[in-house]
Amino acid sequence: GSGFVWDTDGHIVTNYHVIQNANTLTVKFFNGREYRADIVAFDPDADLAVVKLRDVEHELVPLAVGNSSELRPGELMIALGNPFGEEFTMTTGIVSAVTRTLNSGFSLYAIPAVVQTDAAINPGNSGGPLLDMDAAVIGVNTQIRSESGQNSGVGFAVPVDLVKRVVPSLIEDGQHTYALMGISGEAVNIEKRETAGIPGEIVGAIVMSVTSGGPAETAGIRADTGPRANNGVLLRGTENFDGDIIVSINSTRITSMDALIAYLALNTAPGEEIVVGIFRDGVEKAIEMTLGARPTNT
């Protein structure tokens, strides 16, 4: 796996899956120096981990950190890492997309706003930095989509805006806690519009289920009224698509469920008061909500 220097105290950022089964850790620098390292903390939800060097004997130079929210498709990118054990390899490409959500593989929750790139990312690149043309980190390489297990031009990186929230929490508190609304939802599409008579100009996340006793239910958010199984799960194919449609949070327009997930992860914290804009019965309404906290995944 790969990683990069976060600060002068010896903290190194990498992927959770890089250190997941490690008994000992060695960090090797480009100048050939090697150090033993210890795991500080990790966050499976975002597939991130922090390790710390033991007995640092030379000055560390952290990489500059950029802003993934400012990225646009078409921008040039550089991926650094250790593909197939080929140390200190550089590949280039462009930003292919910036609005994906991605299952980390270790959690029920998705990584929001991942950076998709066609820069060659292969096994061993995991945890390495994805850089912009100013050499600032804009993501942490985490996965590829491939039938063969090798690069097919579809790679993904954890967005640095999420890294900037998670890593300080891991260093200071040993964990990162995400805000929780307590819903499941889907993007409004043509099927839902036709079934429920949703106006064409309304976009957002339609609420399919709410967690009993959760923040959304407490605030009065309504879910789909379709029939449910004994375990409370909405039966597929029988939905009414009449749940509330979340169209904004704190006046920021929400265009999909992916956008809602990203907003919560990148802009809110447990216990925070937010104003949720919903579309219900033909009109938009504002509902106040106090966010809860995701169960910790450690």
Side-chain angles (χ1 to χ4, degrees):
S2 306
F4 62 94
V5 176
W6 180 258
D7 58 28
T8 57
D9 293 328
H11 292 110
I12 307 293
V13 173
T14 185
N15 283 145
Y16 165 66
H17 75 259
V18 169
I19 58 90
Q20 181 183 11
N21 297 312
N23 294 316
T24 59
L25 294 172
T26 302
V27 177
K28 184 176 182 178
F29 286 85
F30 185 73
N31 60 11
R33 294 188 180 183
E34 293 181 304
Y35 292 92
R36 295 297 185 187
D38 299 302
I39 298 171
V40 174
F42 48 81
D43 176 29
D45 287 3
D47 194 19
L48 290 173
V50 177
V51 304
K52 188 174 183 180
L53 306 181
R54 302 178 191 170
D55 305 322
V56 179
E57 297 174 353
H58 70 287
E59 182 181 358
L60 297 175
V61 182
L63 291 182
V65 176
N67 298 294
S68 50
S69 61
E70 298 177 359
L71 294 174
R72 297 293 180 269
E75 293 185 39
L76 294 173
M77 294 289 108
I78 298 171
L80 301 180
N82 184 45
F84 302 112
E86 301 296 337
E87 298 174 339
F88 312 115
T89 294
M90 173 188 294
T91 55
T92 62
I94 63 168
V95 174
S96 302
V98 292
T99 59
R100 310 285 193 231
T101 58
L102 182 70
N103 191 325
S104 73
F106 309 104
S107 168
L108 296 175
Y109 301 98
I111 305 172
V114 295
V115 182
Q116 182 181 329
T117 180
D118 67 349
I121 295 175
N122 285 291
N125 275 108
S126 294
L130 186 67
L131 308 175
D132 63 18
M133 289 297 103
D134 295 320
V137 180
I138 51 83
V140 178
N141 302 321
T142 184
Q143 288 185 34
I144 57 173
R145 184 156 294 164
S146 171
E147 296 297 325
S148 66
Q150 300 179 12
N151 174 61
S152 60
V154 184
F156 300 99
V158 181
V160 78
D161 288 359
L162 183 62
V163 177
K164 289 188 289 189
R165 292 176 68 89
V166 171
V167 167
S169 296
L170 295 181
I171 294 172
E172 295 168 15
D173 304 322
Q175 64 179 19
H176 180 72
T177 305
Y178 296 83
L180 179 75
M181 186 178 283
I183 68 163
S184 65
E186 300 175 0
V188 176
N189 60 19
I190 192 168
E191 177 190 3
K192 297 176 180 62
R193 294 187 191 285
E194 293 174 344
T195 301
I198 300 170
E201 70 273 12
I202 299 298
V203 296
I206 188 166
V207 179
M208 306 304 290
S209 299
V210 296
T211 302
S212 178
E217 185 182 69
T218 300
I221 298 292
R222 299 179 185 174
D224 192 288
T225 61
R228 297 175 185 272
N230 292 334
N231 60 1
V233 175
L234 192 64
L235 296 175
R236 284 291 178 183
T238 63
E239 304 95 336
N240 293 321
F241 302 126
D242 58 353
D244 289 336
I245 301 172
I246 297 175
V247 296
S248 67
I249 300 177
N250 292 341
S251 299
T252 297
R253 302 305 290 185
I254 299 298
T255 58
S256 65
M257 191 63 191
D258 286 354
L260 186 150
I261 292 169
Y263 185 92
L264 290 178
L266 299 176
N267 298 281
T268 65
E272 184 177 328
E273 300 280 345
I274 63 172
V275 177
V276 182
I278 64 165
F279 181 78
R280 178 194 294 171
D281 298 331
V283 297
E284 289 192 25
K285 301 180 179 181
I287 295 180
E288 295 183 352
M289 182 187 300
T290 302
L291 292 170
R294 284 188 199 173
T296 55
N297 187 352
T298 57

